[in-house]
Structures are given as structure tokens and as C-alpha cells.
Amino acid sequence: MKKKLIIAIDGYSSCGKSTFARAIAKELNYIFIDSGAMYRAVTLYCMNRGFIGEGKLDIPGILRELQDINIEFVYNPDIDEYETFLNSGNVEKEIRGLEVTSHVSRISQIPEVRSRMVELQRQIGIFKGIVMDGRDIGTVVFPDADLKIFMTASVEIRAKRRFDELKSKGIKVDFEEIKRNIIVRDITDENRDISPLRRANDAIILDNSRMTVAEQMEWVHRIIKNKLNGS
Ligand code: DC
């Protein structure tokens, strides 16, 4: 049987991790998991239940209902993509909005939320043949991953990419607000107590500030080929 890999892609927000990870998964016919979408879905659940809002965070409430939060990735043949479902409802568009984005860092700092997500992520990875992107995939979720990539790009470029992505989805946004949001998220992600954003020692760095997706694919293609051939 053909060797199957676990590929971990970590890095800063809006670096194009998901686009890159999705493209690799498609090429290899692997499962792609956007772990950020899972934290976003939990955040949306907490918003809907009134557990989080401006100046409000009801941790006991969240912990009480944590086991009731069910997250799935469901294939949509019309767009040939997996979409995020929260307790059987499609939330793919809603979780990308600015309100979820501005609350998600606080939710992803809660230790119990993280352990629940890591547990779900490891279950998904059990059969290998998976590309997962996030912040702690190579360090915490799959420390033995076959290939670890740590992505980075300049703040300006990342803000522009997020801006274009939201605009193309019909979501109204302000460029400066997005940029501020990215800077704040970098600081929060890097400085939180549990699973802070760190490059795993054995991760390869990919700065894609000046690279197209096609160039990134060409770069990774060679690395994967070596891994699959056992070198
Ligand atoms: O990749 P993203 O921007 O969709 O991630 C949303 C948030 O979730 C981000 O602020 C950091 C957090 N996150 C995390 O803490 N751990 C992960 N593995 C993935 C995302």
C-alpha cells in the first residue's frame, strides 16, 4: 500500500495556510482539515449562546456545554470543497466574519477548549493521509508528523489577502481594521500560555510574501516526493 503522510502546516494568521494546505490535500487525495475553522465554530457557538461578547466571557457556561458542541466537515460537491458544520448547521460563511474573528483568540486560549479540539483533531488524523493547518499542529497535535511547514508573510501582505478574500465573499470590510486585527492576533497567538504559536524545531519555514500558490506548490512538491520515497 502507498505510504500516507501526516502533513502539519502552522503559521501566522492570513498567511494562506488553508489555501496551501487545501491544494496539497487535493493533489495527494488527502483529507484537509482547517483547525482554525474548528476554533471559529466554537466561538460562534459561544456568541450564539451569549457566552462571549464585548467585555464578556462566561467560562463556566462554555465548559458546561463544551461536550454539546459538534463540529464536522461536510463535502459540498457543487463547489468541490469541505464546509464547516456546527451542530448540523452550515456555518462556513458566518465563521469567517469579523465578529467571530475578533473573539476567536479569547476562546482559543481556554485550556479545556484546546484539549477538546486536539482530541477531535487526533481522531481525524488516525488513518493518516491528512493535511491539517493551524498554530499548534506540528508542536502539539501531531508532534510526530511526517512533514511540518511553518508559514509566514509580511503583515501588509497578509492584511491585503484577508481583505480580498472577505470582499470576494461579499463581506464588507475596512482594510485598516483587518490589519489591526492581524497584529493583535499575532501577539495573542504568540503569547498565550498554552500552545503558543511556535515553529517546531523540525519544521521547514516558508515565507510566501512574494510567492504565488503555484510557486509554493512547486516548492512543496519536491519535498513531498522525497518523503514519499523515504528520503
Ligand atoms: O487560522 P484562522 O485565522 O482561521 O484561526 C482562527 C483562530 O484560531 C486564530 O486566532 C488562532 C486560533 N487557532 C489556534 O489557536 N490553534 C489552531 N490550531 C488553529 C487556530
Side-chain angles (χ1 to χ4, degrees):
M1 215 173 77
K2 209 171 157 200
K3 187 174 165 187
K4 284 197 163 185
L5 310 174
I6 291 187
I7 302 178
I9 308 215
D10 289 302
Y12 292 94
S13 56
S14 302
C15 265
K17 293 189 300 290
S18 296
T19 308
F20 185 52
R22 188 179 280 122
I24 297 173
K26 269 208 174 128
E27 192 169 305
L28 298 174
N29 213 4
Y30 279 15
I31 297 168
F32 157 66
I33 300 295
D34 172 358
S35 70
M38 299 171 74
Y39 289 96
R40 286 171 179 273
V42 177
T43 303
L44 180 62
Y45 180 93
C46 295
M47 281 162 52
N48 292 342
R49 298 285 294 123
F51 295 147
I52 190 165
E54 279 323 311
K56 184 182 175 196
L57 183 63
D58 175 3
I59 293 188
I62 298 170
L63 299 191
R64 225 174 21 243
E65 296 188 16
L66 195 54
Q67 293 300 326
D68 302 334
I69 306 177
N70 188 28
I71 300 164
E72 288 164 296
F73 294 96
V74 179
Y75 182 68
N76 178 347
D78 294 339
I79 50 169
D80 189 24
E81 298 289 358
Y82 283 83
E83 293 179 309
T84 314
F85 277 62
L86 169 64
N87 293 348
S88 307
N90 186 337
V91 293
E92 186 55 46
K93 190 166 176 196
E94 222 176 332
I95 59 168
R96 309 293 165 187
L98 262 187
E99 206 184 341
V100 170
T101 305
S102 65
H103 292 315
V104 65
S105 277
R106 281 196 294 158
I107 294 294
S108 57
Q109 282 183 59
I110 302 169
E112 291 85 352
V113 169
R114 295 208 74 83
S115 10
R116 175 82 184 123
M117 292 304 109
V118 170
E119 184 188 326
L120 291 175
Q121 289 152 6
R122 286 187 181 146
Q123 278 170 15
I124 299 169
I126 209 154
F127 297 112
K128 292 201 152 203
I130 181 173
V131 187
M132 191 175 290
D133 84 289
R135 305 292 189 288
D136 59 344
I137 311 304
T139 48
V140 175
V141 182
F142 297 123
D144 297 325
D146 303 282
L147 171 61
K148 300 181 187 178
I149 296 171
F150 189 84
M151 289 176 74
T152 177
S154 76
V155 170
E156 199 71 29
I157 283 182
R158 288 190 279 146
K160 171 88 173 60
R161 286 179 186 157
R162 183 67 107 191
F163 180 80
D164 291 344
E165 183 196 338
L166 293 173
K167 224 171 90 180
S168 72
K169 288 182 178 165
I171 302 168
K172 220 172 148 247
V173 278
D174 172 65
F175 181 76
E176 287 305 320
E177 194 181 343
I178 291 194
K179 203 167 137 186
R180 270 196 305 277
N181 189 282
I182 285 181
I183 294 169
V184 170
R185 282 207 292 155
D186 282 359
I187 295 170
T188 324
D189 288 347
E190 282 177 318
N191 293 290
R192 67 175 173 228
D193 291 335
I194 20 154
S195 305
L197 174 63
R198 293 259 184 285
R199 179 178 82 87
N201 290 335
D202 50 351
I204 308 169
I205 295 178
L206 171 63
D207 182 337
N208 69 2
S209 299
R210 288 164 207 284
M211 285 170 91
T212 62
V213 176
E215 284 164 345
Q216 294 170 60
M217 289 309 290
E218 203 178 304
W219 173 85
V220 81
H221 199 88
R222 255 174 285 140
I223 298 172
I224 290 174
K225 214 169 137 197
N226 287 339
K227 292 275 175 195
L228 286 171
N229 293 333
S231 55

